[in-house]
């Protein structure tokens, strides 16, 4: 790809085409959205095998060192590879991943708008899948960039409670042995915003 202007257009695997057709347009459209009185946050919603809620929650400023390690999978990887995420071999496994993504997106959507209890003015982002081979297991998670006039640590904890309630009330996920985890990073500059937007649309690393 790239030789004599050839484009493979494989947005999932080719870094060049992924940036040209996914990450590039996203950065061009939203990379400079920095408004007076409006904050932006990078939010990663994932799954973790650790029942300790203190391990599964982060709320802090996005730092320069984070640009090289902004990996959703690092927020949720258990110590034992045999217990990494969930199996990914059958149609039911695939449907379970889709359901997890749906619940994550619903929680963000319910907090987006101009209502009294809605915290986000705008959101961009979507689902992602971290994979482990041998045995084949995955961790479905979502990356979002949100714009807000106010999003405190208490608001972040309320978002996590909302996600947790959705999991408890979802019968097909009753046997899921993982817990929702939430990481919220305040983006303080355009460079941070553009770095996270580029990361959220990246090719599959095989």
């Amino acid at each position: 790809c790239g030789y004599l202007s050839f484009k493979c257009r494989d947005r999932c695997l080719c870094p060049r085409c992924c940036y040209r057709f996914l990450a590039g347009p996203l950065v061009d459209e939203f990379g400079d959205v920095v408004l007076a009185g409006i904050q932006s946050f990078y939010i990663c919603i994932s799954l973790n095998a650790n029942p300790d809620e203190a391990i599964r929650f982060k709320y802090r400023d996005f730092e320069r060192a984070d640009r090289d390690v902004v990996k959703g999978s690092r927020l949720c990887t258990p110590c034992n590879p045999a217990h990494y995420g969930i199996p990914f071999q059958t149609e039911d496994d695939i449907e379970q991943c889709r359901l997890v993504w749906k619940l994550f997106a619903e929680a963000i959507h319910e907090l987006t708008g101009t209502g009294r209890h809605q915290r986000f003015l705008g959101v961009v982002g979507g689902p992602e899948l971290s994979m482990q081979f041998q045995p084949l297991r995955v961790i479905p998670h979502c990356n979002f960039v949100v714009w807000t006039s106010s999003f405190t640590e208490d608001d972040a904890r309320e978002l996590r409670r909302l996600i947790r309630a959705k999991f408890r009330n979802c019968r097909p996920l009753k046997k899921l042995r993982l817990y929702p985890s939430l990481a919220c990073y305040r983006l303080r500059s355009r460079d941070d915003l553009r770095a996270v937007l580029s990361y959220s649309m990246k090719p599959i690393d095989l």
Side-chain angles (χ1 to χ4, degrees):
C1 183
Y3 182 70
L4 295 179
S5 300
F6 172 75
K7 304 179 187 65
C8 68
R9 296 185 178 274
D10 190 338
R11 297 179 296 178
C12 293
L13 296 176
C14 174
R16 184 173 182 272
C17 288
C18 180
Y19 185 83
R20 179 185 292 271
F21 297 111
L22 289 179
L26 189 67
V27 171
D28 290 342
E29 184 170 357
F30 298 103
D32 293 321
V33 181
V34 179
L35 305 173
I38 302 297
Q39 296 178 324
S40 58
F41 281 80
Y42 164 53
I43 296 179
C44 178
I45 312 175
S46 188
L47 299 172
N48 196 306
N50 195 325
D52 186 355
E53 292 195 357
I55 301 296
R56 296 184 284 110
F57 180 80
K58 291 184 180 180
Y59 180 94
R60 63 175 175 83
D61 288 341
F62 189 83
E63 300 173 355
R64 187 179 185 85
D66 292 324
R67 296 185 190 177
D68 297 326
V69 295
V70 56
K71 299 277 190 181
S73 57
R74 297 194 184 185
L75 302 174
C76 53
T77 306
C79 296
N80 189 342
H83 298 155
Y84 182 97
I86 58 180
F88 196 66
Q89 299 179 355
T90 68
E91 291 184 6
D92 289 340
D93 295 336
I94 297 174
E95 194 59 36
Q96 184 172 235
C97 287
R98 289 174 175 170
L99 184 55
V100 169
W101 284 329
K102 179 176 180 288
L103 296 183
F104 289 163
E106 283 181 355
I108 292 292
H109 183 266
E110 289 180 19
L111 293 183
T112 303
T114 57
R116 179 179 178 182
H117 299 291
Q118 293 175 310
R119 294 291 178 259
F120 307 139
L121 301 174
V123 178
V124 62
E128 187 176 5
L129 202 63
S130 295
M131 302 187 69
Q132 172 193 271
F133 297 95
Q134 296 181 353
L136 180 59
R137 300 177 70 87
V138 300
I139 298 179
H141 57 281
C142 288
N143 299 304
F144 297 102
V145 173
V146 304
W147 287 266
T148 175
S149 57
S150 176
F151 184 63
T152 65
E153 184 171 344
D154 287 340
D155 294 329
R157 293 185 183 278
E158 182 60 33
L159 171 59
R160 190 179 64 172
R161 283 192 290 269
L162 175 60
I163 296 170
R164 191 169 53 204
K166 288 182 175 294
F167 271 64
R168 282 200 304 264
N169 296 330
C170 183
R171 183 172 297 178
L173 294 181
K174 290 293 185 181
K175 296 182 180 180
L176 189 66
R177 301 300 182 185
L178 298 175
Y179 307 92
S181 67
L182 180 67
C184 305
Y185 299 91
R186 182 186 291 107
L187 304 176
R188 298 179 295 177
S189 71
R190 281 186 172 87
D191 290 339
D192 293 341
L193 177 58
R194 296 173 73 89
V196 169
L197 287 172
S198 295
Y199 167 78
S200 65
M201 293 295 176
K202 62 186 180 302
I204 298 172
D205 184 6
L206 296 179

